[in-house]
Amino acid sequence: MSRARTALLGALALIAAGTGAASAVPADVGTNAVASIPCTVDYKVQNQWDTGFTAAVTVTNNSAAKSSWAVKWSYAGNQKVTSGWNAKITQSGAAVTAANETYNGTLATGSSVSFGFNGSYSGTNALPTAFTLDGVTCNVDDGSGGGGGGGGTDPSGKVDNPYAGAKVYVNPEWSAKAAAETGGSRISNQPTGVWLDRIAAINGASGSMGLRAHLDAALAQKGTGEEVVQLVVYDLPGRDCAALASNGEIGATEIDKYKTQFIDPIAAILSDTKYASLRIVTTIEIDSLPNLVTNTGSRATATPACDTMLANGNYVKGVGYALAKLGAIPNVYNYLDAGHHGWLGWDDNFAPAANIFKQAATAEGATVNDVQGFITNTANYSALKENNFTINDTVNGTSVRQSKWVDWNRYVDELSFAQAFRTQLVSVGFNSGIGMLIDTSRNGWGGTARPAGPGATTSVDTYVDGGRYDRRIHIGNWCNQSGAGLGERPKAAPAAGIDAYVWMKPPGESDGSSTAIANDEGKGFDRMCDPTYTGNARNGNSLSGALANAPLSGHWFSAQFQELMKNAYPAL
């Protein structure tokens, strides 16, 4: 999401960096301006609708350490705070006071605290123009509404949304494969992720481009503008503990190998000043932490491999190490993988997932400041927005949540899940300015099978199944799904809280082989990629819905690429 903020520039004057921003400049700004600013307040409207809004506030204390704190501001309009989190918020007329909770009263010199709230309004939602911290006036860092644009910087020098105002790297290897397909030139210029999914990929395996080659190509594409390069960092010990198609090469106990032979070499290359002008987005270890939530312990979906990774802590340690090493590089933006709505959207997964992400983000020297945001639906197929039914619908008195497809989930699509999960992540301590990415590479579900309206109201199942865009047999199916189509094209700041829609999974690259194929890439055979497989607990013992004759994961799958183009939505 955009979190356009003011920055101290030139002579350290405060400049508003977004529409509707307000700034208050202390009278003594000068060569010692940083020391003279006692506190900063970053007030952002994250989401706004006809009569309400959600706001996030981050307060930074530049004065003596505090054991308690209170922030005050006044509204010029009729805004009313209706509920809040991470602060005790009271309001008298236009005046608002936000005081610490018992667990976050300590505010050291140079440290920050974040809280948020929902509010109501009518007319205009004017931004507050002045804030105080314990009676002392703070400068206003900025308050830009909505979820679009934004190119301000935070104190680390990172921009708020790396995708805003930037081109995104087009991988020439993927582009050539796409262009060689009949009709492929229609999308061969789209940006896709570069997958570092084994140690050999860093220098280039089997004649393919290595990391430096991709970064050099990105510099060539960049010209005089800004350029984002998207990397998937994906080689944890005991990787993909609940599946086999993408099992990795590093053993469950080999955390030191992961650090020294995988993350350290990547960090060394990304730290090269030659690449300092690039904005490097990293997707950190897809599927790993969500597996610890849903596939461990007494759950029917548990696997011994996931229990092992939970017990030895190497997923948490590995992710923390990667975040710390890569997050220390000024032009690297870490986005941590957060599964998808059909994985973590249930009540018993939603909050626990946020908690384990916080645990990983504060392990091995990492802090929440090393996390720019999160990505959902990576290499998956969950529909971006289901328009034909909502979670609040009922059919003959029965809630949509009771349908076999939704199965008590609180979310029916990725956009609603990503926006809600972002709020949950902030509530457990992630920075209020984090943004979300959604992988839309294969979730369009267009073509002739795309429903034009809701299903019949005979039952809640006919209503949902007849209207849903996502045509999978079961929401747990993930491998080379039949009938899938290209989704929304990559786009910066498309919705509130969303930094970008991305194609992190390159369309046309297989999820896994339909049958066992001998290989030296550490990739196993997962029956979920076999179209004859009748399933397991994770997909409700349903058919896999996978395409036949698929190659190893990551290898080019022409038949799938053609089907994705045929079923693209928006259509090509």
Side-chain angles (χ1 to χ4, degrees):
M1 114 167 230
S2 166
R3 46 190 178 101
R5 303 165 66 180
T6 55
L8 289 171
L9 301 173
L12 295 174
L14 287 164
I15 300 173
T19 60
S23 63
V25 185
D28 60 349
V29 166
T31 56
N32 295 317
V34 172
S36 68
I37 299 173
C39 46
T40 62
V41 175
D42 180 5
Y43 177 107
K44 295 180 297 297
V45 175
Q46 299 175 306
N47 196 9
Q48 184 168 302
W49 54 97
D50 290 343
T51 59
F53 65 101
T54 300
V57 182
T58 299
V59 183
T60 302
N61 174 37
N62 297 320
S63 301
K66 299 174 181 294
S67 58
S68 63
W69 51 265
V71 180
K72 296 184 178 182
W73 68 89
S74 292
Y75 286 117
N78 60 1
Q79 296 96 326
K80 298 292 183 185
V81 175
T82 56
S83 63
W85 48 91
N86 289 346
K88 297 173 182 174
I89 305 177
T90 57
Q91 185 169 357
S92 177
V96 179
T97 299
N100 63 276
E101 294 280 9
T102 56
Y103 56 81
N104 62 359
T106 300
L107 192 55
T109 304
S111 66
S112 301
V113 65
S114 298
F115 58 90
F117 59 90
N118 293 320
S120 64
Y121 76 101
S122 61
T124 59
N125 186 15
L127 300 164
T129 58
F131 295 85
T132 63
L133 174 62
D134 296 338
V136 177
T137 300
C138 302
N139 71 290
V140 178
D141 213 18
D142 179 46
S144 179
T153 58
D154 66 19
S156 71
K158 289 182 169 67
V159 298
D160 302 323
N161 178 357
Y163 290 87
K167 297 186 298 183
V168 187
Y169 174 60
V170 177
N171 179 349
E173 293 183 312
W174 176 85
S175 182
K177 292 175 183 176
E181 293 279 348
T182 302
S185 60
R186 293 174 293 176
I187 63 165
S188 58
N189 64 339
Q190 293 291 346
T192 54
V194 174
W195 286 55
L196 302 175
D197 59 358
R198 50 187 171 136
I199 293 168
I202 299 171
N203 292 322
S206 304
S208 62
M209 296 169 67
L211 178 54
R212 281 192 179 275
H214 281 295
L215 296 175
D216 290 340
L219 286 175
Q221 289 183 19
K222 179 179 182 296
T224 57
E226 299 292 344
E227 176 98 347
V228 170
V229 180
Q230 302 176 124
L231 306 176
V232 177
V233 177
Y234 182 46
D235 201 21
L236 269 181
R239 188 181 75 192
D240 213 350
C241 59
L244 298 171
S246 53
N247 279 170
E249 62 191 349
I250 300 178
T253 62
E254 296 182 304
I255 186 66
D256 290 339
K257 181 177 181 180
Y258 174 78
K259 292 178 178 180
T260 60
Q261 297 185 37
F262 185 64
I263 295 300
D264 288 355
I266 292 172
I269 293 171
L270 300 186
S271 298
D272 191 329
T273 56
K274 178 182 182 181
Y275 307 120
S277 65
L278 297 171
R279 298 177 182 178
I280 300 170
V281 165
T282 59
T283 292
I284 302 296
E285 296 295 352
I286 63 173
D287 294 350
S288 59
L289 298 177
N291 272 320
L292 298 186
V293 177
T294 63
N295 297 320
T296 56
S298 60
R299 299 193 184 214
T301 54
T303 71
C306 290
D307 283 333
T308 294
M309 299 318 300
L310 178 64
N312 69 23
N314 283 343
Y315 275 6
V316 167
K317 294 173 187 174
V319 168
Y321 187 82
L323 290 172
K325 290 287 288 190
L326 302 178
I329 304 168
N331 58 316
V332 169
Y333 300 81
N334 290 321
Y335 288 80
L336 188 53
D337 182 78
H340 56 90
H341 88 275
W343 192 350
L344 300 182
W346 281 270
D347 293 346
D348 54 353
N349 298 340
F350 195 77
N355 290 333
I356 203 163
F357 295 156
K358 175 70 179 301
Q359 181 186 352
T362 51
E364 299 290 310
T367 75
V368 293
N369 295 325
D370 293 314
V371 180
Q372 179 78 13
F374 291 76
I375 181 169
T376 76
N377 205 45
T378 311
N380 209 269
Y381 298 86
S382 294
L384 179 66
K385 181 71 173 71
E386 292 282 9
N387 294 319
N388 293 328
F389 64 97
T390 76
I391 201 68
N392 299 315
D393 292 351
T394 60
V395 178
N396 303 323
T398 302
S399 167
V400 156
R401 291 190 71 197
Q402 292 178 252
S403 67
K404 292 178 181 177
W405 174 256
V406 178
D407 190 27
W408 296 103
N409 201 321
R410 286 203 181 271
Y411 304 94
V412 301
D413 52 37
E414 279 308 292
L415 183 56
S416 62
F417 168 73
Q419 290 172 324
F421 197 52
R422 183 192 170 284
T423 299
Q424 180 69 26
L425 291 160
V426 171
S427 77
V428 302
F430 283 97
N431 293 334
S432 60
I434 57 171
M436 307 296 284
L437 306 178
I438 301 177
D439 188 347
T440 59
S441 58
R442 304 181 303 179
N443 71 346
W445 295 103
T448 58
R450 185 178 179 87
T457 56
T458 310
S459 70
V460 71
D461 287 321
T462 58
Y463 177 73
V464 170
D465 289 340
R468 60 182 167 96
Y469 299 141
D470 188 336
R471 305 311 299 169
R472 285 178 291 178
I473 297 169
H474 188 277
I475 205 166
N477 289 349
W478 55 266
C479 192
N480 301 324
Q481 290 300 284
S482 176
L486 301 168
E488 287 281 349
R489 315 306 178 250
K491 181 188 307 182
I498 311 300
D499 278 351
Y501 296 152
V502 297
W503 283 8
M504 202 60 71
K505 172 71 174 182
E509 292 189 0
S510 173
D511 296 316
S513 59
S514 301
T515 58
I517 298 175
N519 68 92
D520 61 357
E521 301 176 29
K523 295 171 181 175
F525 169 53
D526 195 304
R527 289 295 305 280
M528 287 296 291
C529 302
D530 175 358
T532 69
Y533 183 50
T534 55
N536 54 47
R538 285 186 291 280
N539 81 329
N541 296 297
S542 305
L543 280 168
S544 69
L547 293 169
N549 303 312
L552 290 171
S553 62
H555 289 228
W556 190 254
F557 190 7
S558 176
Q560 183 193 48
F561 185 78
Q562 289 295 331
E563 184 161 309
L564 290 171
M565 290 195 297
K566 180 181 72 174
N567 296 325
Y569 191 87
L572 297 177

